[in-house]
Amino acid sequence: MQEFLKLDNKLILKLKIKPLSPLLIKLSSKEKTSDAGTDAYVSFLTTEATVGTKVENDGGKISVDERTGEIYIPGSSLRGMFRDRTLDILSFDDVDKLYGKVDGDKAQKTRVFIEDAYLYKLENREKFYKKDEKKVSDIKELIKTRAITPIDHFSGKATVPLKFEYTTESFFTDITINNISLKELKTLYFILRDSINGELRIGNSKTRGFGQVELEIDEMIYYKYFGKKELIKDMSKYFERVEEKSLKLGSNYLYEALKLKKDFEKIDVENPNEFIKALFAEVE
């Protein structure tokens, strides 16, 4: 309850993550052998491990696939991507105030919470839990295999080819930021803009062209608490109240859930919408 009383606002952002280049997959149940190439296992997507999970890769083709968990992007990987990008925009102190830090008596709690990202389409998620004979072929539609031949930078010679799994399917995640400031919201939009410009990558093997993603707003809800100042002027022009997510006591709202209108969700770098113009016209 004490934490609730400290809230001035809360932003919940639902994001669609659209791959612009392959996203590598790691099977969390598969052990790394001593003779395996390092890059074959350095990735950011993983599969929920279960006892008895079995994957046989026959010449780049999955012949037996008994994995029972779906692929997902860990929230920690997304958090690292956002934090690194934020460091390019804000000062170290501002980043620590937002993402928190562990530093003895000077430790700070995080205000950013990023959920694991799952496949955007529900029907694709369900394919990983099927029990019928179509499971292998269904998963092969989502997970593909590719081989590359790395070059040894010391000798300049090709090394043993590496085979890996990847996907180009879209994912979704939820980001929650407590007590977001105007400057932090602007920073968030800078990161979204950078992704549209092709400047955002996640995971390892970035230098090989993997992990490029574009972020798209699926839904933005801003929780405004009673007696607290609006983040920008005339918010009703850009947001609509969601009654079922708001809390009213008598004639006053303890907090209002304000959803960004559909007309203002899309980000056009060349022609920013009226909400973005109003946001960046505000002075903190």
Side-chain angles (χ1 to χ4, degrees):
M1 189 64 179
Q2 184 178 6
E3 185 66 24
F4 171 81
L5 293 175
K6 290 180 180 178
L7 285 175
D8 294 332
N9 64 57
K10 179 169 65 176
L11 184 78
I12 298 181
L13 182 64
K14 295 182 182 294
L15 282 180
K16 183 177 183 180
I17 303 170
K18 299 162 57 178
L20 300 180
S21 66
L23 307 181
L24 297 183
I25 297 171
K26 173 181 176 182
L27 298 178
S28 60
S29 60
K30 189 171 181 178
E31 296 297 329
K32 178 177 175 180
T33 58
S34 58
D35 58 345
T38 302
D39 286 344
Y41 289 86
V42 179
S43 50
F44 72 92
L45 284 169
T46 184
T47 302
E48 295 175 350
T50 57
V51 177
T53 297
K54 181 181 180 182
V55 176
E56 292 183 4
N57 197 316
D58 181 16
K61 298 180 179 180
I62 300 175
S63 57
V64 178
D65 195 334
E66 296 179 359
R67 74 184 96 193
T68 58
E70 62 194 286
I71 56 175
Y72 68 98
I73 307 174
S76 57
S77 295
L78 294 170
R79 179 185 172 86
M81 177 185 71
F82 273 92
R83 189 181 188 281
D84 288 347
R85 204 63 184 182
T86 303
L87 274 170
D88 294 334
I89 304 169
L90 301 179
S91 68
F92 281 101
D93 287 342
D94 286 338
V95 172
D96 287 341
K97 290 175 183 177
L98 181 59
Y99 286 90
K101 66 175 180 178
V102 179
D103 188 15
D105 295 338
K106 297 180 180 179
Q108 293 178 301
K109 289 184 178 181
T110 182
R111 290 187 285 114
V112 179
F113 305 90
I114 304 179
E115 302 292 332
D116 295 337
Y118 292 92
L119 287 166
Y120 191 78
K121 296 180 180 178
L122 180 59
E123 58 266 32
N124 286 342
R125 299 183 64 184
E126 292 173 342
K127 290 177 181 179
F128 287 89
Y129 301 95
K130 287 184 175 181
K131 300 295 184 181
D132 58 32
E133 64 278 359
K134 285 190 62 183
K135 178 178 178 180
V136 172
S137 60
D138 284 345
I139 290 180
K140 283 172 64 176
E141 294 176 1
L142 305 175
I143 299 177
K144 298 177 173 57
T145 305
R146 178 183 292 184
I148 60 173
T149 303
I151 302 298
D152 187 306
H153 293 293
F154 181 75
S155 64
K157 297 180 180 180
T159 59
V160 178
L162 299 175
K163 290 183 178 180
F164 55 87
E165 290 183 310
Y166 70 93
T167 188
T168 54
E169 294 293 324
S170 294
F171 291 76
F172 75 92
T173 188
D174 286 358
I175 301 177
T176 301
I177 305 177
N178 291 330
N179 294 338
I180 189 170
S181 69
L182 180 62
K183 178 166 59 176
E184 291 164 352
L185 182 55
K186 289 180 180 180
T187 298
L188 182 58
Y189 265 88
F190 277 131
I191 296 174
L192 297 179
R193 178 207 62 185
D194 291 346
S195 76
I196 294 172
N197 288 334
E199 300 172 8
L200 204 62
R201 294 183 183 271
I202 185 173
N204 296 290
S205 294
K206 300 185 187 73
T207 56
R208 289 180 177 160
F210 302 115
Q212 185 178 355
V213 295
E214 180 179 320
L215 305 177
E216 183 179 289
I217 296 177
D218 218 32
E219 182 181 82
M220 178 189 289
I221 297 183
Y222 176 80
Y223 286 83
K224 177 181 178 294
Y225 287 79
F226 177 74
K228 303 301 181 180
K229 183 181 177 182
E230 289 187 341
L231 203 57
I232 66 171
K233 297 176 183 177
D234 302 322
M235 288 194 67
S236 60
K237 290 174 58 176
Y238 316 108
F239 291 79
E240 54 192 355
R241 185 187 301 121
V242 183
E243 291 292 350
E244 60 269 25
K245 293 186 177 182
S246 302
L247 182 60
K248 195 172 186 179
L249 184 62
S251 59
N252 295 317
Y253 284 91
L254 294 181
Y255 59 82
E256 293 179 86
L258 305 174
K259 180 180 177 181
L260 184 65
K261 295 177 181 178
K262 282 292 181 183
D263 292 343
F264 304 115
E265 287 181 351
K266 185 175 177 59
I267 299 175
D268 186 332
V269 175
E270 299 297 329
N271 299 290
N273 61 54
E274 292 304 313
F275 170 66
I276 295 176
K277 291 178 180 179
L279 175 64
F280 283 89
E282 289 280 347
V283 179
E284 196 166 17

